[in-house]
Amino acid sequence: QPSGNQAPDVGAGQKRAAVCFACHNADGISKIPGTPHLAGQERSYLENALRAYRDGQTRQNPTMNPMAKPLSDRDIVNIAAYYSSLARSGQGQK
Amino acid sequence: QPSGNQAPDVGAGQKRAAVCFACHNADGISKIPGTPHLAGQERSYLENALRAYRDGQTRQNPTMNPMAKPLSDRDIVNIAAYYSSLARSGQGQK
């Protein structure tokens, strides 16, 4: 479930997600086979995935574990909010 | 990368995916927090995820490991093709 009580900050999530754009793109539609689209993805799923990549136990991936390692709980909530706020079609904010 | 040389069979994938509909829905837009939308997701990502859940090493999830366990390589290719063929908006076939 979404962590903490502070509301997610989509703007901060967009800034913090800049490192993700290389593969997932700012619009959340990936151009790389094997890399998932994140646009409009279910928010708590994205949070859970980022936490699992950060912890490196239940989800092991050579790219995502190091990417998620430095993320704070707030970063995770904000990044998940950012990508889930995007239109599933890939045209930016819903 | 997509496995084998036979073209994926979306129709067979739709049939085999019936067990997935309970959480992911036939249109690939999930109604359950924490359960990802699959509609129009990137095909080889879905294949890789299903193989990882089936193998239970790099992706451990109490729901998805047993769900993926009985899937054959063909099932995985077809199910991934089915869900990735769906409109990202959730209105069925692209």
Side-chain angles (χ1 to χ4, degrees):
Chain A
Q1 290 320 339
S3 69
N5 38 30
Q6 251 183 324
D9 180 338
V10 170
Q14 182 170 14
K15 282 196 198 82
R16 192 67 182 86
V19 294
C20 315
F21 295 171
C23 298
H24 295 290
N25 274 316
D27 66 359
I29 301 296
S30 110
K31 302 276 183 302
I32 305 172
T35 299
H37 304 312
L38 301 182
Q41 183 54 277
E42 205 279 327
R43 186 156 70 91
S44 44
Y45 168 76
L46 289 176
E47 282 194 25
N48 297 339
L50 282 172
R51 275 192 290 266
Y53 281 128
R54 182 178 62 182
D55 304 343
Q57 302 302 322
T58 59
R59 270 175 95 143
Q60 287 146 27
N61 178 291
T63 306
M64 282 305 296
N65 293 139
M67 290 300 280
K69 200 99 201 116
L71 298 178
S72 69
D73 286 342
R74 281 304 300 161
D75 289 336
I76 285 178
V77 166
N78 293 341
I79 290 169
Y82 168 68
Y83 270 116
S84 68
S85 73
L86 297 177
R88 289 186 54 74
S89 57
Q91 264 86 43
Q93 233 63 40
K94 266 184 216 158
Chain B
Q1 288 318 343
S3 68
N5 37 30
Q6 251 182 322
D9 180 338
V10 170
Q14 182 169 12
K15 280 196 199 83
R16 191 68 181 85
V19 294
C20 315
F21 295 171
C23 298
H24 296 289
N25 274 316
D27 67 359
I29 302 295
S30 109
K31 301 277 182 301
I32 306 171
T35 299
H37 304 311
L38 301 182
Q41 182 55 279
E42 205 278 327
R43 187 155 70 91
S44 45
Y45 168 75
L46 289 177
E47 282 194 26
N48 297 338
L50 282 172
R51 275 192 290 267
Y53 281 128
R54 183 178 61 183
D55 304 343
Q57 301 303 322
T58 59
R59 267 175 97 143
Q60 286 143 26
N61 179 291
T63 306
M64 282 305 296
N65 292 137
M67 290 300 280
K69 200 99 200 120
L71 298 177
S72 69
D73 286 343
R74 281 304 299 162
D75 290 335
I76 285 178
V77 167
N78 293 341
I79 291 169
Y82 169 68
Y83 270 117
S84 69
S85 75
L86 297 178
R88 288 186 54 73
S89 57
Q91 264 85 43
Q93 233 62 39
K94 266 185 217 160

